[in-house]
Amino acid sequence: MRVLIIEDEHKIAAALKRGLDREGYATDLAYNSDDGLDAALSGDYELIVLDRMLPGSLEGLEVCQQLRTNKIHTPIIMLTAKDNINDRVAGLNAGADDYLVKPFAFEELVARMRALMRRPGEALTTVLTAGDLTLNTTTYEVRRDGKLITLSNKEFTLLHYLMRHQNQVLSKNNIIAHVWDFDADILDNTVEVYIGYLRNKIDKPFKSPSLIHTIRGFGYRLGAE
Ligand code: CA
């Protein structure tokens, strides 16, 4: 899951990035509204954390409005130092999906992020399934045929992305855009290498048919058929 944080207070931004990286998200930072809007318009993010008071030519509410006007429907959590009903209503009217008042507990942000990133069909469950493979987005447990599989953060993020988009062919560029942040050292074979790590853990040790498929010339697809 790739997340964009638009927040001018470097300390808060850095703390959020550290925490989210540890949770297995790929996180990019923007410190003003213009850079934030540019990055968000790329559509590469699963979620945007947007501070309300920002330096730059727009304030947070306007960034939100611009994104919705440009048909970017990425879920947005707005952060604010203010806490009154009018502010909340203004944020939600501008197109934000949720609202968090500073100071907040990191766990609360993560819980709200998870709630927003659930797809409609996932509303009641946080377990994604493909054949006999399951991934729990709350406990981070991955199991195949009931056996617990230990993954690194990045392997988990990659598998989570593949499972959310199962049976779709995903190009290398698409995978990079959603699983790695801007500062990551991406080599030509980074995606292949990580797909290889995943295969070694979720496919090779098991007798059931492979779940990760290479679509030559296009990319990869995860699915039980
Ligand atoms: Ca601010």
Side-chain angles (χ1 to χ4, degrees):
M1 298 291 99
R2 191 161 165 199
V3 176
L4 175 65
I5 298 172
I6 310 174
E7 163 64 88
D8 58 307
E9 287 164 71
H10 285 238
K11 262 190 172 166
I12 295 178
L16 289 180
K17 178 172 169 55
R18 252 196 324 275
L20 292 176
D21 287 351
R22 214 167 31 229
E23 297 271 326
Y25 295 95
T27 316
D28 290 321
L29 299 176
Y31 299 112
N32 62 63
S33 59
D34 304 279
D35 292 347
L37 182 62
D38 276 352
L41 284 171
S42 72
D44 287 341
Y45 298 95
E46 274 72 36
L47 188 123
I48 297 166
V49 178
L50 172 64
D51 188 31
R52 176 139 181 207
M53 306 287 280
L54 287 168
S57 49
L58 303 170
E59 68 151 312
L61 281 182
E62 294 167 312
V63 171
C64 203
Q65 282 159 346
Q66 286 282 321
L67 289 173
R68 296 319 185 214
T69 305
N70 283 282
K71 303 208 165 16
I72 300 287
H73 299 294
T74 315
I76 296 173
I77 298 182
M78 204 167 258
L79 303 181
T80 180
K82 301 176 187 174
D83 183 20
N84 71 55
I85 296 216
N86 289 341
D87 282 323
R88 285 179 204 224
V89 170
L92 297 172
N93 281 344
D97 299 272
D98 204 352
Y99 208 82
L100 208 49
V101 177
K102 293 179 187 173
F104 52 86
F106 180 71
E107 289 71 21
E108 184 175 6
L109 174 66
V110 171
R112 288 179 185 230
M113 285 172 60
R114 286 202 184 113
L116 282 180
M117 286 193 286
R118 271 180 219 144
R119 318 181 92 202
E122 293 170 30
L124 293 174
T125 169
T126 48
V127 178
L128 303 179
T129 304
D132 55 356
L133 179 72
T134 59
L135 179 151
N136 186 313
T137 57
T138 306
T139 62
Y140 298 102
E141 266 184 18
V142 174
R143 289 178 184 272
R144 183 150 193 198
D145 196 20
K147 286 196 194 69
L148 192 63
I149 298 170
T150 306
L151 300 179
S152 71
N153 271 354
K154 192 50 83 184
E155 291 162 359
F156 180 90
T157 305
L158 175 58
L159 181 62
H160 189 186
Y161 186 67
L162 296 175
M163 287 186 80
R164 273 171 71 101
H165 299 276
Q166 62 181 280
N167 296 320
Q168 295 174 24
V169 178
L170 302 168
S171 70
K172 262 170 49 170
N173 284 341
N174 181 303
I175 292 172
I176 289 170
H178 288 87
V179 177
W180 276 272
D181 58 50
F182 284 135
D183 298 330
D185 292 318
I186 307 274
L187 304 174
D188 265 355
N189 65 346
T190 296
V191 174
E192 283 94 328
V193 168
Y194 276 86
I195 290 281
Y197 293 156
L198 273 187
R199 281 193 163 123
N200 284 337
K201 292 184 175 178
I202 69 159
D203 272 338
K204 294 211 173 120
F206 298 92
K207 287 202 191 84
S208 16
S210 294
L211 293 170
I212 299 176
H213 311 279
T214 302
I215 313 298
R216 220 164 277 286
F218 292 98
Y220 300 94
R221 180 174 69 80
L222 182 142
E225 312 94 59

